[in-house]
Amino acid sequence: MTARTNPVAPDRAPERAGFDRRLIAPMILGAVLNPINSSMIAVALVPIGKAFGAPPSRTAWLVSALYLATAVGQPVVGRLVDRYGPRRLYLVGTALTGVAGLIGMVAPSLGVLVVARVLLGLGTCAGYPAAMSLLRHESRRTGQDNPGGVLTALAISAQTVAAVGPTLGGLLIGFGGWHTIFAVNVPLSVACLVLGVRRMPRTAAGTTTGGLDLPGMALFTALLTAVLLFLMSPRVGDLYLLPVAAAAGAGLVVRELRATDPFLDLRVLGGNLPLIATYGRNLLTFTVSYAWLYGYTQWLEESRGLSASAAGLVLLPLFVTAIAVSALTGRRRGVRGKLLVGAGTQIAACALLLVVHPGTGTWLLVTVAVLAGVPQGLLGLANQNALYHQADPARIGSSAGLLRTFTYLGAMVAAAASAAAFGPGADTAGLHALALVMLASAALLLVVVLLDRSLRRIGALAGAASD
């Protein structure tokens, strides 16, 4: 027996000692479900509107419904991941994603499609918090604070891959109609379930104990829902949502300060100013990013006269550039440099939009996409890495979920800005007005980065932890 076991032990020991790379596939696939669904719909709004005879004001709910469900659900599901562990939440969420895909495939009306998008938003909530929780689990198990390049791979999948959504969506629509952007969730869901069952460890238990703060979760949901509903279509008739949000916010503060195990630990969060700054940067980052994704795409189709497939191809350089930039810079520990370069190139790209018009040559449209891909590849990665080092390890799931909430708050601001700029149609004057809003957000992001001195310490901390 000794002769049989000794040769095997050296082969298995390194696997137990190092990061379990079998986890990378389910982590990345689960994390990609939400951004790919949030971006594919950009090129499907026009054909869906034609299919159901619905104006843009109604098809916009296909975007807003997923954002609302995701923005509310991410930190809630993230807290459940902290409490019960990543595996079971991952499996439940990816199963729900497949069900939502099936409903969307056969939806007989726009209302049913909106329901499918809500379910997609809820189902895809678990992937990113579960992945961040698994990273922390592997960090504790192996003693490696930042497992070689895994955060980079996760950033590329969870943030950058959103840029491929319009291209993929355009190709799918060209192949089988708008139904295919829902159908693609079924095989993705099956793949996640198989990988999750076979590879995700049952031993990766939650990092917190005690009961769930259901009143805190309910008040948080009410606060965020009221804010997001107002941002979807800000108008005088919806001003009642602001006092509702204020009341829910006040109740949330009172509840969380008194709770022994709060859903949002406001004392810890309030004392963690660097983490709060990261959330603010993420909001500004994705205000600009989603204005590109939806505003620019709509302009390409309506004013430039491109088909959904052609618009997706014009945006392809953005995707390629973003992936390349993330891959080249991902292993660099510094966060501040990425943020500075990302904010600077974002300003340049937004300024370039001011000279775009319907007769603009394809070469300039491609140049705009390439330039916009640089911040797409840098900013999300930098904010994610900052959060990994700034968040309380026991609350990494809910902290990661809250980062995604600020992502979709930015998306809602972008949607409101796009609606105000375009009005009845995505014309060039509206695009230039939207570009000014984007330019202001990008400039504010640069100022926030310059003022945050804590960013200089993250690279040093990461280097010390990995030595």
Side-chain angles (χ1 to χ4, degrees):
M1 295 295 293
T2 304
R4 291 183 181 180
T5 55
N6 283 345
V8 176
D11 293 335
R12 291 184 179 178
E15 181 178 318
R16 289 198 299 267
F19 181 83
D20 187 356
R21 296 193 175 275
R22 297 176 306 166
L23 296 175
I24 293 177
M27 285 168 57
I28 288 179
L29 198 56
V32 83
L33 291 176
N34 190 273
I36 204 72
N37 275 287
S38 69
S39 58
M40 279 195 304
I41 195 72
V43 293
L45 296 176
V46 173
I48 288 175
K50 291 179 179 178
F52 292 110
S57 60
R58 292 184 59 200
T59 57
W61 277 99
L62 294 170
V63 178
S64 301
L66 184 137
Y67 288 165
L68 180 59
T70 302
V72 172
Q74 285 273 6
V76 173
V77 173
R79 188 59 179 156
L80 294 176
V81 169
D82 291 334
R83 176 67 178 83
Y84 297 108
R87 188 176 191 270
R88 65 180 70 181
L89 271 301
Y90 179 95
L91 295 177
V92 171
T94 52
L96 183 58
T97 300
V99 172
L102 288 172
I103 294 173
M105 286 173 57
V106 299
S109 66
L110 184 63
V112 175
L113 272 185
V114 171
V115 171
R117 292 283 290 176
V118 170
L119 294 178
L120 276 175
L122 294 174
T124 58
C125 277
Y128 183 63
M132 293 294 279
S133 180
L134 280 171
L135 277 176
R136 274 296 181 190
H137 168 76
E138 287 296 288
S139 176
R140 292 192 304 271
R141 186 181 67 81
T142 64
Q144 299 177 14
D145 186 62
N146 190 350
V150 180
L151 272 173
T152 302
L154 184 60
I156 290 174
S157 64
Q159 305 289 350
T160 309
V161 82
V164 79
T167 303
L168 176 61
L171 294 174
L172 288 173
I173 292 169
F175 174 75
W178 62 263
H179 300 83
T180 55
I181 69 166
F182 289 91
V184 73
N185 287 287
V186 177
L188 289 175
S189 172
V190 171
C192 285
L193 289 171
V194 172
L195 289 171
V197 168
R198 297 187 62 180
R199 298 187 180 184
M200 295 184 78
R202 297 177 183 272
T203 55
T207 54
T208 60
T209 58
L212 290 174
D213 179 18
L214 295 180
M217 290 181 178
L219 287 166
F220 173 81
T221 300
L223 166 63
L224 206 56
T225 301
V227 171
L228 293 176
L229 285 174
F230 180 76
L231 287 176
M232 286 178 194
S233 55
R235 54 192 179 191
V236 175
D238 292 330
L239 285 176
Y240 74 93
L241 291 168
L242 297 182
V244 171
L252 179 66
V253 171
V254 172
R255 166 66 192 180
E256 300 307 86
L257 291 178
R258 293 179 177 177
T260 55
D261 187 19
F263 165 58
L264 293 177
D265 195 333
L266 297 182
R267 291 188 179 89
V268 173
L269 185 61
N272 194 343
L273 295 180
L275 181 58
I276 294 175
T278 295
Y279 288 145
R281 288 195 309 272
N282 217 50
L283 187 152
L284 293 169
T285 294
F286 285 97
T287 295
V288 178
S289 179
Y290 278 96
W292 273 100
L293 187 60
Y294 290 107
Y296 187 52
T297 302
Q298 282 186 280
W299 179 84
L300 286 173
E301 292 187 49
E302 292 190 24
S303 290
R304 189 65 167 76
L306 300 182
S307 66
S309 300
L313 289 174
V314 168
L315 290 172
L316 183 59
L318 188 154
F319 159 66
V320 174
T321 302
I323 290 293
V325 168
S326 289
L328 290 172
T329 63
R331 289 183 179 271
R332 297 182 181 272
R333 297 189 181 101
V335 167
R336 188 171 184 268
K338 294 186 182 76
L339 291 170
L340 287 173
V341 174
T345 51
Q346 198 173 63
I347 290 172
C350 294
L352 198 56
L353 273 187
L354 293 173
V355 302
V356 167
H357 56 82
T360 297
T362 303
W363 68 270
L364 183 56
L365 298 180
V366 171
T367 301
V368 170
V370 170
L371 192 58
V374 175
Q376 183 79 14
L378 288 174
L379 296 175
L381 172 64
N383 287 329
Q384 176 188 269
N385 287 5
L387 176 132
Y388 182 83
H389 293 285
Q390 293 166 342
D392 178 1
R395 290 178 173 266
I396 188 66
S398 54
S399 296
L402 199 55
L403 185 72
R404 280 289 184 88
T405 293
F406 278 88
T407 295
Y408 289 112
L409 278 172
M412 289 296 184
V413 173
S418 298
F422 286 146
D427 58 15
T428 301
L431 178 66
H432 291 167
L434 181 62
L436 291 175
V437 175
M438 296 162 66
L439 195 57
S441 298
L444 182 56
L445 172 63
L446 180 60
V447 171
V448 171
V449 174
L450 288 171
L451 293 177
D452 190 351
R453 297 181 179 180
S454 69
L455 295 171
R456 298 178 183 273
R457 298 194 296 267
I458 292 179
L461 289 173
S466 61
D467 290 339

